[in-house]
Amino acid sequence: MSAREFNFDGLVGPTHNYSGLSFGNKASSANAGLASNPRAAALQGLAKMKALADRGFAQAVLPPLARPDFALLARLGFAGTEAQSLGRAARQAPALLSAAWSASSMWTANAATVSPSADTADARVHFTPANLVSKLHRSAEPEATGRVLAAVFPEGPHFAHHAPLPASPQTGDEGAANHTRLCPRAGEAGVEFFVYGASGFDAAAPAPRRFPARQTREASEAVARLHGLDPRRTVFAQQNPDAIDAGVFHNDVIAVGSERVLFCHEKAFVDQAAVLRRLREAFPGELEVIEVPETFVSLADAVESYLFNSQLLARPDGTMMLVVPEECRRNERVARYLEGLATPGGTIREVISFELRESMRNGGGPACLRLRVEMTEAESKAMHPGVLLDEVLYGKLTRWVQAHYRDRLASEDLADPALVTACREALDELSTLLGLGNLYRFQR
Ligand code: SUG
């Protein structure tokens, strides 16, 4: 059956800020305390969406979650009026306050794991929101994310929604950032490739020493079971612990795959040759692997440039395009590698870059900002159409950002009740603009 990949980009929320909340994510730590520019961040994300939509790719948008998360603050002992809760948290535990304000839902690659109907036992598209237990600010996302996904993809004959996995470190799940789907062509059955950082139970298994592994093997296996995947076409592999220790906190910082192509660093996986052999055996057809050697691009360069956090997109004529962040042009070795990559007869024919500096400073590149959902025509007709990005929606969202977003946000702003009001007004208008009704709790 024919199908199409849709990219659902997270719209950057009005509270985008740099709070250094993600130990193990080097950009997040390095930029902690910097003033952010939420307006520029949102416009940069929208410009990428628009450019890809203009090139004929199916592009949609997912709304940000409402922040600050007062329920999180209350659970942490900051009760009282909203102003009191903000004030107390600012004085007593600024890191917890930042967590409640984080706009991290923008990185929709972590929203959920999605399996297309061509791979699942009941021929429905399956969604499991990631529990994101590894970081407090991210662990506050899954429930609301599940509501957004259910509003966009109504449960029924086409879409199936699961609850996030139990919120324990042994079942830590980071969603599509640690999951790659490969297939001969959109719509055909493929291989689902799950990459975990450590085992939740096996203390003797290899594990990173410096930075945490966020995804466990047990979580990946649970998602595969829930989605009804065929074990013969499901491959599990462990991420190289040295890569995690070099700052590769998600697999999508070291590998990206699309259709019949896997683009990865040579140090992405434990026992990489065996992993690639298993993938080739499971793949229904000829899998092409572009493996980048350390001598061309070191792990450090991969983390600095986010070369592999690119979007590998199959163009309508079947050739591939790579969407990279501008940082790849700024890194001399990566820029040189990319010059040789796109050739007229080659697999990747074109490389285009985008300025996503605001998101990149928190460790979020082009691939982090999008959740891929492959849908047949019938499935795409069953989804909520209001989030599909066309010229008109792009214009509306751009004007909405310009009207509501600040161009500077610093840590002292997070105690300001006026920012709460401004965010609610913005999101209230957004839910109408996207036709999503009363999506947010504060609207009820
Ligand atoms: O979870 N950064 C995010 C970046 C997520 C990137 N996503 C993928 N690779 N798919 C994270 O570490 C930083 C927030 C702060 O420090 O304020 C943050 O959450």
Side-chain angles (χ1 to χ4, degrees), residues 19-22 25 28 110 137-138 177 214 250 252 362-363 368:
S19 292
L21 298 172
S22 282
N25 166 346
S28 157
N110 305 118
H137 66 296
R138 306 228 56 186
R214 297 198 196 184
H250 285 136
D252 70 2
N362 256 336
C368 301

Side-chain angles (χ1 to χ4, degrees), residues 300-320:
D301 284 332
V303 171
E304 188 195 292
S305 66
Y306 262 42
L307 167 63
F308 299 97
N309 198 257
S310 45
Q311 287 178 260
L312 186 58
L313 297 169
R315 302 195 290 193
D317 67 359
T319 63
M320 293 273 177

